[in-house]
Amino acid sequence: MFNWQFSQSCSSSILKELHITVKYFHDCLYILDGCFNQLEKFFVNIDFIYNQSSTINDQEKLSNMKYFSLTCEDATLKYYELIVPLLHRMSNLESLALYLMVSNHFMDERFIDGNDLKENIINHLPRLKKFAFNIHSRTFFLNEIYLPSNADIRNTFTNFKDNQIVCSVDYSQREKVGQCHIYSLPYTILFYNNITNNFPGGLFKSVRQISLCDEDPFEHEFFIQIAEAFPYLKKLRLTNTQSQQHKHSQSSKDAKKKEYPIIKYSHLTELDLFLVHNDYIEQFLDLTKTNLSKNFKLSVEYKSLRLVTDNFTRETTRMNCSKINNIQFYDRISTIPEHFQMYFPRMKYRSLLSYFDINYSSR
């Protein structure tokens, strides 16, 4: 991790390409403050983007810069104040990649769409030939008379040449928040966050980590789509407190019920089910619905896991639970039944007493 406070003597007059991860946007500005004055290609991953007081020169033109890529998974409020002015300094830029989550300050502030990208970025970079982006923008809304639709956002990209653009818009009536996800194809980054029921679909072979969240329930068909869209998925985080409306079981004797394929996650290593209805714990652990890979980590509330597995005795969840080699419980517990270890045999070599700070009971 780069730390500018301890690296102020770091410089080079011959370095032309740099790939680096830094903690703050401030570190990025320091690198561009004459330390590498011949830099032409700069690929930076930033943990946090916000204002920091400094004496760094953030006005000088970066005329040598031709290729610039910026990635930040954490949401920033400073897109217009920090990121856009930085790009304006790169007047000779030929290739640009932006992967961002942007939260807006004010009510009814517009999403970042094609018009915004043209007005604030493209029109200021006359030599730009390639522009790849993946931008989530979130804004509060009070005026429900006009809320941009997917088609409205898509129309703002009409004049984008040689680019396949995907747009997805969602609104939370409960929280009065809207989110807009725009990205260019091909999709090359490792994560895809904040997926809702409005997920546009596609095939994302590069993605290894996703998060799912919605105010409406996720049904089995949705998870089929997710498994097909992300064939090499390793980490999945789900947030949804709404009960599924169309529950099913492959073991049901009701011939009239529609049969669904069992979903397979062949590469999943981490499954995070924190703020979820118990239906989703069952969705992933019930072998008649989902077949999970061996040796994965589960993060869940103990009381919910105990209910879904019928106090660690249910047969349809036993097989997937036997594949778990690590569990993180979000709630505090004092005792677990003795047969817990039998239900999670891959954890038998772990000291559960010390790991969970709990005692066994015969219940």
Side-chain angles (χ1 to χ4, degrees), residues 24 42 191 250 262 354:
Y24 302 112
F42 187 30
F191 55 88
Q250 300 286 36
I262 297 175
S354 60

Side-chain angles (χ1 to χ4, degrees), residues 9 34 77 226 273 361:
S9 61
L77 293 167
I226 292 299
L273 304 176
S361 74

Side-chain angles (χ1 to χ4, degrees), residues 22 34 49 62 75 108 111 123 139 157 184 189 192-193 228-229 237-238 270 304 326:
V22 300
I49 299 177
L62 303 169
D108 294 321
F111 293 128
N123 291 346
T139 187
F157 290 96
S184 57
I189 57 178
Y192 195 130
N193 292 325
E228 292 174 347
R237 179 181 177 87
L238 190 152
E270 293 187 26
S304 296
N326 194 339

Side-chain angles (χ1 to χ4, degrees), residues 27-65:
D27 300 328
C28 174
L29 292 181
Y30 173 76
I31 293 172
L32 296 173
D33 186 21
C35 297
F36 305 97
N37 53 21
Q38 297 301 312
L39 199 61
E40 296 180 357
K41 300 180 180 181
F42 187 30
F43 302 81
V44 59
N45 191 320
I46 305 176
D47 289 342
F48 306 104
I49 299 177
Y50 57 82
N51 275 328
Q52 289 177 283
S53 59
S54 74
T55 58
I56 293 176
N57 179 6
D58 59 359
Q59 302 297 321
E60 186 175 347
K61 293 294 183 181
L62 303 169
S63 56
N64 288 328
M65 193 68 66

